[in-house]
Amino acid sequence: MISTAVQEYIRDGGHEYWKPILWETSSAFTCTLLLVTQRRLTRKYDGLVSSPIRWFARQLVWLPMYWIAFVPVAFGIRHAVYALNGQVYTHTPWPQTFLYEDVKITVFFTTFTGIVFGVLSFYAMLEERLRVERANASLREAQLLRLSQQMQPHFLFNALNTISSLMYSDVQRADAMLIQLSDVLRATLDVGERHLVPLETELRLLRGYAALMGERFSDRVSISWQIDDSLLACEVPVMSMQPLLENIFKHTVEKQRQPAAIHISVQREQDLLVLRLEDDRGTLAAGDPSGHGIGVRNLRERLAALYGKRATFDLIQLSPAGVRAEVRLPCVS
């Protein structure tokens, strides 16, 4: 506006450039003063931004202040500066001046009040989105805690059931399994309520459980491991592999008399961490090809809560026999 005023002043033959600069800066200063005053005194109504009519009504009562105050302040500055330079500031008669300037100030008031409303609405939207995200995070945290707490008693029950089946027939093996169980429980306590742990910690839990079950079915199972040690720092959901190994023992090893071979591997494929547990004897139930037991359902829910669509879990029927459980998730280390 200053630039435009100066150009028009030059085009009209003027040569005292401070005059158009004074006209516009006095208007800008006065408008800014009025706007700051309005904001200071109406900030307490910012909570009404979700009710636009009520919010604008609180602002509209300040329009008369602009009508009354703008001309005396802005024109008073101009008259004072002109007087300091030994000149007289001339303008149209006061009634016309008030009418003309009040129309302009009404446009200014409407424009900037609309801008303030837009800014406040934007920040209100951001705050609401943040509240929703925090609520969702709290809900997800509670869900994960519930799922973890559900998994641990399930694991403990199965381990104790295994030990009880041996304590009268082979006390030495039962004692060795109790020691192994205590090591696994100690490792479980170490992770506390964490939902993600390094792969190294997860494998410690898994090896402990494998040792427990290997003791019980020593004549019917062999377990091989293929672990990429460079991935040990990648984070995985705590106790995510144990229920898959438990399923193999429950649905395959326990139900068959023939020896079963279990292979456990952890590899990287592009930017994904791939966890695989497979056996050479299992079959997927015809009516339940994707597996919906408590352990599998628990793991699916945890993966969905932690990673959304970035993680996948599949149960694959192998030929001629065997089942592969495969988890793919981002490697976070």
Side-chain angles (χ1 to χ4, degrees):
M1 290 178 67
I2 292 174
S3 174
T4 301
V6 170
Q7 291 180 57
E8 290 180 351
Y9 180 74
I10 294 172
R11 189 161 49 245
D12 292 338
H15 58 275
E16 294 178 288
Y17 303 133
W18 60 270
K19 290 184 177 181
I21 295 174
L22 172 65
W23 304 335
E24 298 303 329
T25 53
S26 61
S27 294
F29 171 78
T30 305
C31 288
T32 302
L33 182 65
L34 292 172
L35 182 63
V36 169
T37 303
Q38 178 191 356
R39 277 299 299 146
R40 277 184 167 280
L41 298 176
T42 60
R43 194 181 301 274
K44 58 186 176 183
Y45 302 120
D46 287 355
L48 297 176
V49 72
S50 58
S51 303
I53 294 178
R54 295 176 62 193
W55 186 87
F56 277 107
R58 294 296 192 281
Q59 309 303 316
L60 192 59
V61 298
W62 289 90
L63 181 56
M65 178 188 73
Y66 284 77
W67 291 342
I68 295 170
F70 177 77
V71 171
V73 175
F75 280 67
I77 293 173
R78 298 175 193 177
H79 278 286
V81 174
Y82 268 72
L84 290 173
N85 284 274
Q87 299 184 34
V88 177
Y89 177 60
T90 58
H91 53 79
T92 58
W94 285 112
Q96 295 179 29
T97 298
F98 266 93
L99 178 61
Y100 177 74
E101 296 295 338
D102 285 349
V103 169
K104 289 204 305 182
I105 204 65
T106 300
V107 173
F108 167 84
F109 173 87
T110 304
T111 301
F112 276 84
T113 300
I115 290 173
V116 171
F117 176 77
V119 171
L120 291 176
S121 298
F122 176 73
Y123 279 107
M125 180 193 68
L126 292 183
E127 289 177 2
E128 179 63 23
R129 183 179 298 173
L130 183 60
R131 282 196 295 270
V132 170
E133 288 176 354
R134 285 174 177 169
N136 288 338
S138 297
L139 181 62
R140 187 178 69 175
E141 194 76 11
Q143 179 189 24
L144 288 170
L145 184 59
R146 175 183 62 81
L147 292 171
S148 296
Q149 290 173 341
Q150 176 188 13
M151 179 59 66
Q152 291 176 13
H154 189 243
F155 158 73
L156 183 60
F157 171 79
N158 282 278
L160 291 174
N161 189 50
T162 300
I163 293 172
S164 69
S165 67
L166 289 174
M167 62 186 301
Y168 294 109
S169 60
D170 194 333
V171 176
Q172 252 186 343
R173 286 178 64 192
D175 183 62
M177 291 181 71
L178 274 173
I179 295 173
Q180 186 66 54
L181 176 60
S182 69
D183 290 340
V184 174
L185 292 178
R186 188 177 299 110
T188 303
L189 290 174
D190 288 343
V191 301
E193 295 182 356
R194 294 168 59 188
H195 304 303
L196 294 172
V197 295
L199 175 63
E200 185 175 14
T201 301
E202 177 67 13
L203 288 175
R204 178 185 170 194
L205 292 168
L206 187 65
R207 290 182 189 276
Y209 180 78
L212 281 171
M213 301 306 289
E215 280 288 331
R216 180 180 175 186
F217 299 102
S218 57
D219 58 335
R220 278 194 277 160
V221 69
S222 62
I223 303 177
S224 59
W225 303 77
Q226 184 182 359
I227 309 298
D228 184 345
D229 290 340
S230 67
L231 303 175
L232 294 178
C234 289
E235 290 192 328
V236 299
V238 64
M239 295 189 76
S240 55
M241 301 178 74
Q242 180 273 332
L244 301 179
L245 182 58
E246 183 177 322
N247 270 357
I248 295 176
F249 278 101
K250 180 179 179 181
H251 298 293
T252 300
V253 178
E254 288 186 11
K255 293 183 178 181
Q256 296 192 16
R257 293 298 174 186
Q258 296 177 316
I262 300 173
H263 182 66
I264 300 171
S265 67
V266 179
Q267 305 294 329
R268 183 194 294 275
E269 292 186 7
Q270 297 178 346
D271 58 342
L272 293 177
L273 183 67
V274 183
L275 316 175
R276 291 192 182 98
L277 292 88
E278 61 182 67
D279 65 82
D280 62 349
R281 294 289 179 184
T283 56
L284 291 175
D288 188 23
S290 59
H292 290 87
I294 184 172
V296 170
R297 184 173 65 252
N298 185 297
L299 180 57
R300 289 189 191 280
E301 291 179 5
R302 293 169 68 201
L303 290 174
L306 285 166
Y307 302 102
K309 295 182 179 180
R310 295 181 300 147
T312 60
F313 170 56
D314 296 296
L315 288 174
I316 304 166
Q317 179 66 60
L318 303 178
S319 181
V323 175
R324 174 186 296 155
E326 184 174 279
V327 178
R328 294 173 176 266
L329 45 83
C331 177
V332 181
S333 56

